[in-house]
Amino acid sequence: MTSDEVFFKWLPDYSVNIKTIDDQHQELVNILNRLFVAVSRREGDKAIAGILDALTSYTRTHFALEERLMREARYKDLVPHMEEHRKLIAQLDELCNKHLMEEKPIYFEMLSFLKTWLREHIQGVDTQYSAALQQSGFSVATWEREATAEFARMSASRKWWEVWKAA
Ligand SMILES: [Fe+2]
């Protein structure tokens, strides 16, 4: 696959100017790209289930961390932002259930939906909270130092990365 054929190409425009958050967003893009490749190559249920599991686990962990950041910074639009997260998690769970329980294949429309959702979420509400936090004088750098350690613990406990690296 050449770079022109990457399903979801990360662009500098997607940065929210908080490195920890950008890194996690890029990892979500990586997992989505991995899922696209697996679906395109018809890699089989086990491989696809593993990647779906990595995607949902990583998304939950990332959302939890992002919500903690907004809560600690007393961000005014935390509640509607959490609602967007909750809705996507419900949709991801539904996608997993369809695939695992009902053995329905993953369609490219679903992958496109996830790609569009993530891009619009990052460029919309994520960019808004990041700008608001930086304007409010909240010390993002201090938070990032703490968050990095916290995130490592959260990731280790979920072991999503083992599935991901093995895929
Ligand atoms: Fe978000």
Side-chain angles (χ1 to χ4, degrees):
M1 181 180 270
T2 68
S3 60
D4 291 345
E5 293 168 303
V6 170
F7 171 64
F8 190 167
K9 196 170 185 303
W10 178 267
L11 300 174
D13 251 18
Y14 301 154
S15 171
V16 297
N17 297 314
I18 302 174
K19 190 181 179 303
T20 311
I21 302 293
D22 284 345
D23 288 349
Q24 293 176 8
H25 284 158
Q26 283 186 49
E27 193 66 347
L28 283 172
V29 166
N30 290 339
I31 302 173
L32 209 50
N33 280 328
R34 179 70 187 86
L35 184 60
F36 176 81
V37 169
V39 171
S40 307
R41 292 182 188 160
R42 299 173 197 275
E43 282 186 18
D45 285 347
K46 201 163 172 270
I48 290 174
I51 302 165
L52 266 179
D53 186 47
L55 181 65
T56 49
S57 300
Y58 196 85
T59 302
R60 280 177 194 279
T61 310
H62 165 66
F63 283 176
L65 206 78
E66 211 178 56
E67 288 167 14
R68 209 189 83 182
L69 167 62
M70 289 186 276
R71 194 175 295 113
E72 285 176 15
R74 300 180 189 280
Y75 178 54
K76 67 175 175 55
D77 288 331
L78 168 67
V79 172
H81 197 130
M82 283 176 71
E83 183 57 18
E84 281 210 21
H85 287 173
R86 194 196 59 75
K87 278 190 195 153
L88 185 80
I89 292 291
Q91 280 167 308
L92 275 176
D93 282 346
E94 197 188 314
L95 180 64
C96 289
N97 280 340
K98 273 197 180 131
H99 180 70
L100 300 174
M101 308 296 178
E102 298 170 29
E103 298 183 356
K104 294 222 170 84
I106 308 277
Y107 295 106
F108 289 111
E109 290 95 298
M110 293 173 191
L111 294 171
S112 293
F113 160 78
L114 290 172
K115 173 182 169 178
T116 304
W117 188 94
L118 187 58
R119 196 183 53 223
E120 289 180 352
H121 185 83
I122 292 171
Q123 294 201 284
V125 291
D126 283 352
T127 302
Q128 283 165 23
Y129 85 69
S130 167
L133 261 52
Q134 303 198 34
Q135 276 165 21
S136 75
F138 178 79
S139 177
V140 173
T142 306
W143 176 83
E144 279 191 283
R145 274 196 298 278
E146 291 167 12
T148 305
E150 171 85 1
F151 188 74
R153 275 196 298 278
M154 288 161 92
S155 298
S157 68
R158 293 181 196 232
K159 301 206 181 301
W160 67 268
W161 48 268
E162 283 180 14
V163 179
W164 163 242
K165 300 295 176 205

